[in-house]
Amino acid sequence: MQGCGNDFIVVEDPVALDAARVRALCDRRRGIGADGVLVIGAPEAGRVWPVAIHNADGSIGESCGNGARCVARYLLDRHGGDSVTLRFAGGEVRGTRHGAGIAISLASPSNPEPITIDGAGAYRVRVGNPHIVLWNADPERSDLTAIARRVRAAGGDANVELARIDDAEHIRLRVDERGVGETLACGTGACATVAAALRERRMAPTVTVRVPGGDLLVRHGATTYELAGPAEYAFEGTL
């Protein structure tokens, strides 16, 4: 499945996965190819499903916005109902249908912490997982991989966002995810960037975050954020 090109192998337990098998499955030339593997556990009371995140390099993730939206669609398609709750290591999210796509509601990001990276201002933000957001005049043309390497060396292990605020309703964004590399979209990164933008200026109630794979909508609030966008099947098979 994929949400704005951020793609995942979605499977249900029981399945035996170690780091080597995850890397083999996510290999885009010798395996299925994906940014990660999402394993759905047995449902608990109240339509709550635990989900484990395996990054493409075999490491374990904490939160995944686009992955959550894909899993929410998978479960809503199979079990019906108006909503599902997903439990990740980084916290719970609630998934619902949003037009032709899927929206999730999650706890608002942590208060963005101003930091300095290579002499430039940035923000450290948690959205169930760690992010470092840097403002950049031209995210599309910048060397994201090199910048992310320097940011992690100075600021610690985190997802790295290069962002530009176009206006109160639009942000451009590229993300290098830890354990994966550059992805076409990052849902928690989009939320982290909107939270950082709110430290800089007033933003519209709903912000369109333009990533290489398309557009994500982020509705920000004092206690919850809503992340909406496409969540689609690429193909199905047997693992």
Side-chain angles (χ1 to χ4, degrees):
M1 300 186 73
Q2 58 89 16
C4 284
N6 196 188
D7 58 344
F8 310 93
I9 302 165
V10 178
V11 298
E12 293 191 62
D13 263 341
V15 60
L17 290 178
D18 58 20
R21 191 178 189 201
V22 170
R23 289 193 294 270
L25 290 169
C26 292
D27 189 306
R28 296 190 180 277
R29 288 185 169 83
R30 297 182 175 88
I32 296 171
D35 292 330
V37 181
L38 306 176
V39 180
I40 306 170
E44 303 169 0
R47 290 173 59 87
V48 177
W49 278 266
V51 183
I53 304 170
H54 300 264
N55 294 322
D57 70 349
S59 61
I60 301 298
E62 297 163 287
S63 295
C64 183
N66 290 322
R69 294 189 311 96
C70 288
V71 171
R73 178 173 180 187
Y74 177 94
L75 292 172
L76 287 168
D77 286 351
R78 283 157 178 76
H79 299 282
D82 297 324
S83 67
V84 294
T85 298
L86 309 177
R87 179 174 297 137
F88 295 91
E92 289 189 357
V93 305
R94 179 175 175 268
T96 58
R97 297 194 186 276
H98 185 273
I102 295 289
I104 58 167
S105 297
L106 64 162
S108 295
S110 66
N111 187 33
E113 172 195 354
I115 59 175
T116 300
I117 300 288
D118 285 348
Y123 288 96
R124 192 192 308 276
V125 190
R126 281 197 67 86
V127 193
N129 54 1
H131 297 264
I132 296 177
V133 180
L134 297 88
W135 305 122
N136 185 284
D138 193 357
E140 291 92 343
R141 296 177 182 271
S142 297
D143 188 343
L144 175 60
T145 301
I147 292 171
R149 189 181 302 118
R150 294 198 303 271
V151 168
R152 293 190 180 106
D157 195 25
N159 295 332
V160 177
E161 281 77 30
L162 284 188
R164 185 181 79 203
I165 302 172
D166 287 339
D167 54 46
E169 296 181 349
H170 299 90
I171 292 175
R172 294 183 182 272
L173 177 66
R174 286 174 66 200
V175 183
D176 186 291
E177 293 193 39
R178 58 180 186 155
V180 183
E182 182 173 5
T183 55
L184 293 182
C186 178
T188 56
C191 292
T193 303
V194 170
L198 288 166
R199 293 291 304 269
E200 299 283 316
R201 55 165 292 169
R202 292 179 64 88
M203 300 296 292
T206 299
V207 179
T208 299
V209 180
R210 181 146 294 165
V211 292
D215 289 346
L216 294 167
L217 300 179
V218 177
R219 186 188 308 256
H220 54 89
T223 59
T224 61
Y225 271 40
E226 182 182 81
L227 171 72
E232 301 171 343
Y233 298 97
F235 59 85
E236 297 185 27
T238 301
L239 178 62

